[in-house]
């Protein structure tokens, strides 16, 4: 019999032991977020199942049991996409039964049980000694421990959502093998791609098996020794240039760096080691000050999917991988639960409503891998993943099943708990079961509207309520209790609203006026431009919406906006802009500095801005797009 769950739920959950605890019992009511979840269930996951079959991921595993005799297909980490899909399906089956999802889940859990080697090893890229060599022959690029991490997380989802321990047995046998081979103090081993660290800590939380925690700690403590630094891109790429506790800056492959830091926070919460917290806090400060795109995107370099130098934030060449946005959500949520600080949730929210939601089409079955903040109309098709047209899958298909996991567990990050205080971390139509047997209900049209309504049905027990004061509201909030204004001041980013009562109706309204931003002067690529946000949403000019040529527009320094309210992400903004004189585009590429400047055309025309997360949904073809707009 497994011990009771200790507080973590979902891939972006965390843990008893911090300042704040994740909670169970949240559910979405009809509205924007419920629609995201429904789309994930009805479209994205089913599309993913078909693509896993088409791309060969499932055939790779069937090779191990003699059910397929063709060659291995895809990248060596192809198994991880199966595991992420199984994890998402487990959470979804926990919400609502589905014959099709259940069939896929059961068939492939059985396949994994049958495919596992007697000693516990399971990896279709290496298990037969081909095509990538023998097991454990390439820790820099082999991804065997990375795949195991996703297997563990799928197994945990099966237990917590379904009470099904079959996949857990597979994962535990594989972890036991890894512990026997590499758990000793004399072993130098860790994976070139972090991920297993969070999974092992979570396995410990689920089962109480301290071997999993010790193995996670070994992998974290060993990093920086140079064990995988011989790889193609140098030691920084693998976060292998310095020990975790010595690291001060975000560097290397963005997804790997943030997966590692999420695991470091988890390890800190279980061990109490303050040096681990100090290290991730330093890196967080560096990220926020120097390397974070306005959209929540991270990674400015395509070659190695990596962070660049401080302020190296080019719009056109932003890599900003969808998985990196998800990784930052994972890390931010853990930082919040460890500290109670609302600003970590602010960053998580920015990621979700911009770079992460941009990664999936409105139809739910096409995806962006990278997420630039500008696209020119003549962008070459050689960069398919950033060419303005989402694709239905990728050779390296890490992002689509990662999105499935996020939406399958989104309700788990709406609320958290600090002692008896329920903290409302994210906003929308949702309800939370309370210890007293009652239900806290939140109603809102967020993210199109900043008004939240709270009520309690049944016994609230000793629960009190706190609501995050989002950074985008700039301290502007109106609080009403039973229709009467209540002066309330945010403390450490939270509006503490006191005890919940059945008879009370609480209204919180945040200002959601458009805000114009300029970048730090060190961000050379953004100098002379502005960007627009409204609430958590970053806006962009998409050519599909405009008669103005968005590649030649200039906007006023202090624009006046017309807000056209829409549902969900559908609110549009309009402002008066000018188009550069056409003759200016035929001038030489370079002119003397004392030559007359290009003159804007005399007419001011309405420029339409849409939520960045919705760009590229305007039909076939490449449409020019800009987040950062030149000032007139």
């Amino acid at each position: 019999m497994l011990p009771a769950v200790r507080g973590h739920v979902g891939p972006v959950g965390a843990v008893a032991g911090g300042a704040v605890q994740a909670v169970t019992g949240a559910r979405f009511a009809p509205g924007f977020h419920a629609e995201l979840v429904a789309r994930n269930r009805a479209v994205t996951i089913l599309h993913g199942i078909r693509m896993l079959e088409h791309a060969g991921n499932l055939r790779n595993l069937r090779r191990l049991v003699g059910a397929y005799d063709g060659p291995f297909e895809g990248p060596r980490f192809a198994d991880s996409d199966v595991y992420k899909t199984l994890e998402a399906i487990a959470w979804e089956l926990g919400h609502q039964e589905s014959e099709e999802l259940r069939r896929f889940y059961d068939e492939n859990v059985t396949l994994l049980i049958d495919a596992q080697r007697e000693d516990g090893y399971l990896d279709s890229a290496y298990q037969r000694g081909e095509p990538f060599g023998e097991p454990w022959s390439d820790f820099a690029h082999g991804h065997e421990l990375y795949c195991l991490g996703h297997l563990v997380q799928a197994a945990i989802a099966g237990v917590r959502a379904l009470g099904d321990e079959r996949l857990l047995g597979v994962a535990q046998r594989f972890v036991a093998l890894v512990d026997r081979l590499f758990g000793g103090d004399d072993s130098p081993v860790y994976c070139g791609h972090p991920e297993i660290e969070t999974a092992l800590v979570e396995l410990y939380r689920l089962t109480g098996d301290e071997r999993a925690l010790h193995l996670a700690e070994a992998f974290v403590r060993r990093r920086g020794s140079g064990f995988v630094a011989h790889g193609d891109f140098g030691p920084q790429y693998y976060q292998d240039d310095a020990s975790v506790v010595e690291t001060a800056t975000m560097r290397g492959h963005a997804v790997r760096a943030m997966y590692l830091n999420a695991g470091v926070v988890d390890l800190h919460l279980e061990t109490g080691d303050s040096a681990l917290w100090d290290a991730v806090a330093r890196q967080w400060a560096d990220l926020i000050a120097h390397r974070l795109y306005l959209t929540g995107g991270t990674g400015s370099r395509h070659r190695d999917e990596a962070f660049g130098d401080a302020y190296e934030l080019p719009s056109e060449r932003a890599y900003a991988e969808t998985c990196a946005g998800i990784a930052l959500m994972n890390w931010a949520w853990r930082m919040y639960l460890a500290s109670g600080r609302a600003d970590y949730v602010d960053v998580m929210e920015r990621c979700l409503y911009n770079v992460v939601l941009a990664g999936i089409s409105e139809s739910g079955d096409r995806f962006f891998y990278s997420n630039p903040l500008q696209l020119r109309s003549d962008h070459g098709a050689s960069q398919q993943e950033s060419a303005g047209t989402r694709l239905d899958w990728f050779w390296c298909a890490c992002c689509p099943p990662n999105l499935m996991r996020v939406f399958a567990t989104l309700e788990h990050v709406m609320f958290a708990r600090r002692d008896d205080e329920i903290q409302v971390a994210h906003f929308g139509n949702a309800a939370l079961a309370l210890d007293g047997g009652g239900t806290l209900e939140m109603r809102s049209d967020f993210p199109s509207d900043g008004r939240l309504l709270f009520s309690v049905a049944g016994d609230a027990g000793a629960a009190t309520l706190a609501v995050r004061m989002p950074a985008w509201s700039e301290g502007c909030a109106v609080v009403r209790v039973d229709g009467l204004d209540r002066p309330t001041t945010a403390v450490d980013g939270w509006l503490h609203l006191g005890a919940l009562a059945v008879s009370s109706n609480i209204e919180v309204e945040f200002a959601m006026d458009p805000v114009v931003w300029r970048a730090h002067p060190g961000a050379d690529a953004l100098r002379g431009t502005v960007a627009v946000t409204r609430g958590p949403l970053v806006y962009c000019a998409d050519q599909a919406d405009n008669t103005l040529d968005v590649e030649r527009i200039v906007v006023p320094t202090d624009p006046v906006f017309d807000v056209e309210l829409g549902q969900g992400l559908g609110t549009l903004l309009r402002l008066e802009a000018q188009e550069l004189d056409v003759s200016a585009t035929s001038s030489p590429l370079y002119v003397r500095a004392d030559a007359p400047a290009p003159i804007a055309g005399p007419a001011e025309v309405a420029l339409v801005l849409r939520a960045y997360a919705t760009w590229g949904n305007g039909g076939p073809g490449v449409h020019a797009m800009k987040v950062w707009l030149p000032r007139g």
Side-chain angles (χ1 to χ4, degrees):
M1 179 69 70
L2 294 171
V5 175
R6 297 184 54 203
H8 171 99
V9 280
V12 291
V15 314
V20 183
Q21 296 181 17
V23 296
T24 58
R27 287 293 182 267
F28 287 121
F32 175 74
H33 299 86
E35 290 171 3
L36 292 179
V37 174
R39 182 186 69 182
N40 188 52
R41 178 187 185 86
V43 179
T44 309
I45 292 178
L46 295 180
H47 172 77
I49 288 172
R50 291 190 294 271
M51 297 309 296
L52 290 173
E53 190 67 65
H54 175 75
N57 304 62
L58 298 172
R59 289 191 291 274
N60 291 339
L61 289 164
R62 293 177 192 136
R63 294 170 82 236
L64 303 181
V65 297
Y68 176 70
D69 60 1
F72 182 93
E73 301 171 77
R76 64 184 76 193
F77 44 86
D79 291 359
S80 66
D81 295 329
V82 177
Y83 300 149
K84 284 184 279 187
T85 302
L86 287 171
E87 180 187 349
I89 289 173
W91 292 117
E92 281 298 341
L93 289 173
H95 297 150
Q96 181 181 339
E97 191 58 47
S98 161
E99 182 179 348
E100 189 168 6
L101 295 184
R102 175 65 71 172
R103 183 186 313 112
F104 180 87
Y105 184 83
D106 287 341
E107 286 178 356
N108 286 285
V109 168
T110 299
L111 172 61
L112 294 170
I113 292 170
D114 294 342
Q116 186 169 36
R117 212 165 61 184
E118 187 174 346
D119 67 354
Y121 187 84
L122 176 59
D123 193 299
S124 68
Y126 291 92
Q127 196 157 320
R128 294 175 28 158
E130 50 78 26
F132 300 107
E134 294 298 321
W136 314 123
S137 57
D138 186 355
F139 285 98
H141 303 117
H143 288 75
E144 289 154 284
L145 295 175
Y146 167 84
C147 289
L148 171 55
H150 281 299
L151 171 61
V152 169
Q153 289 177 321
I156 292 170
V159 174
R160 289 187 170 157
L162 305 174
D164 184 348
E165 298 185 16
R166 291 176 297 163
L167 199 54
L168 180 65
V170 176
Q172 286 180 303
R173 286 190 289 276
F174 198 172
V175 169
L177 171 66
V178 171
D179 184 56
R180 291 195 300 273
L181 294 175
F182 311 122
D185 292 341
D186 58 342
S187 175
V189 162
Y190 47 94
C191 189
H193 196 309
E195 201 283 333
I196 193 173
E197 296 82 1
T198 55
L200 287 171
V201 174
E202 204 56 45
L203 183 63
Y204 161 69
R205 291 171 182 151
L206 178 71
T207 66
D209 187 344
E210 292 190 352
R211 292 176 298 176
L213 180 63
H214 295 159
L215 193 56
E217 183 168 15
F219 290 153
V220 168
R221 300 289 184 191
R222 293 168 188 171
R223 190 165 293 273
S225 70
F227 176 69
V228 297
H230 61 278
D232 295 344
F233 297 113
Q236 284 193 342
Y237 174 83
Y238 306 93
Q239 294 76 48
D240 203 24
D241 56 320
S243 72
V244 166
V245 295
E246 295 172 324
T247 300
T249 61
M250 297 301 294
R251 75 278 187 250
H253 189 277
V255 175
R256 298 173 194 235
M258 291 184 291
Y259 276 6
L260 174 61
N261 283 355
V264 173
V265 179
D266 280 343
L267 189 61
H268 155 71
L269 285 164
E270 296 302 328
T271 66
D273 187 339
S274 60
L276 296 175
W277 175 259
D278 292 344
V280 291
R282 285 193 305 269
Q283 292 175 70
W284 182 274
D286 174 67
L287 173 70
I288 301 303
H290 302 128
R291 301 170 214 279
L292 184 66
Y293 282 100
L294 185 66
T295 57
T298 52
S300 58
R301 296 183 177 178
H302 279 241
R303 176 180 177 269
D304 47 359
E305 301 181 315
F307 293 100
D309 299 332
Y311 306 115
E312 183 186 338
L313 295 167
S315 289
E316 294 162 287
R317 293 299 294 165
Y319 198 64
E321 183 183 338
T322 299
C323 277
I326 295 169
L328 182 50
M329 286 178 63
N330 292 346
W331 181 23
W333 183 246
R334 286 164 167 79
M335 295 291 279
Y336 154 59
L337 291 174
S339 68
R341 281 175 41 183
D343 57 325
Y344 293 122
V345 187
D346 288 331
V347 173
M348 182 182 180
E349 179 183 64
R350 190 193 312 185
C351 290
L352 173 61
Y353 289 105
N354 297 287
V355 68
V356 172
L357 280 173
I360 186 169
S361 66
E362 291 175 344
S363 62
D365 57 0
R366 298 184 69 82
F367 310 93
F368 281 150
Y369 194 100
S370 60
N371 294 278
L373 281 71
Q374 179 177 351
L375 194 77
R376 297 182 184 273
S377 59
D378 62 348
H379 185 86
S382 61
Q383 294 289 337
Q384 282 190 316
E385 69 276 5
S386 60
T389 302
R390 292 176 177 86
L391 302 181
D392 60 1
W393 207 246
F394 308 97
W395 179 83
C396 174
C398 51
C399 299
N402 234 358
L403 287 163
M404 297 175 207
R405 298 196 307 152
V406 168
F407 297 128
T409 58
L410 194 57
E411 76 270 19
H412 298 317
V413 298
M414 299 298 288
F415 305 95
R417 173 179 215 139
R418 188 165 197 163
D419 299 322
D420 288 329
E421 184 176 71
I422 301 300
Q423 295 194 340
V424 181
H426 295 281
F427 311 139
N429 272 359
L432 177 67
L434 302 173
D435 289 347
T439 301
L440 171 66
E441 296 182 351
M442 173 172 55
R443 296 291 176 263
S444 175
D445 289 331
F446 194 80
S448 63
D449 186 80
R451 184 167 173 258
L452 314 173
L453 299 175
F454 298 95
S455 61
V456 174
D459 187 359
T464 62
L465 181 67
V467 178
R468 177 174 58 92
M469 174 71 88
W472 46 260
S473 72
E474 299 187 322
C476 296
V478 175
V479 178
R480 300 182 185 91
V481 178
D482 296 329
L484 299 176
D485 288 353
R486 175 190 285 183
T488 305
T489 302
V491 178
D492 296 329
W494 296 95
L495 295 169
H496 299 279
L497 303 180
L500 290 169
V502 174
S503 60
S504 292
N505 290 285
I506 301 170
E507 178 182 353
V508 181
E509 187 167 6
F510 297 115
M512 290 192 75
D513 297 325
V515 177
V516 180
W517 300 88
R518 59 178 173 82
H520 187 284
D524 299 274
L526 305 179
R527 194 172 296 132
T529 62
V530 294
V532 179
T533 62
R534 180 178 179 270
L537 303 181
V538 175
Y539 278 75
C540 68
D542 187 330
Q543 191 63 68
D545 302 319
N546 288 281
T547 56
L548 281 171
D549 185 344
V550 302
E551 296 185 82
R552 296 206 303 270
I553 54 172
V554 291
V555 300
T557 301
D558 298 309
V560 177
F561 294 94
D562 176 32
V563 179
E564 181 183 315
L565 289 174
Q567 294 299 310
L569 305 175
T571 295
L572 300 177
L573 306 179
R574 288 180 170 83
L575 69 155
E576 295 298 304
Q578 292 178 297
E579 188 174 302
L580 288 175
D581 193 332
V582 173
S583 63
T585 65
S586 61
S587 65
L589 183 59
Y590 305 106
V591 298
R592 288 171 53 99
D594 56 3
I599 301 172
E604 291 188 342
V605 181
L607 175 70
V608 178
L609 303 182
R610 64 164 53 238
Y612 170 79
T614 68
W615 84 276
N617 283 295
V622 173
H623 300 140
M625 179 275 295
K626 279 186 177 182
V627 168
W628 289 94
L629 310 172
R631 288 181 290 183

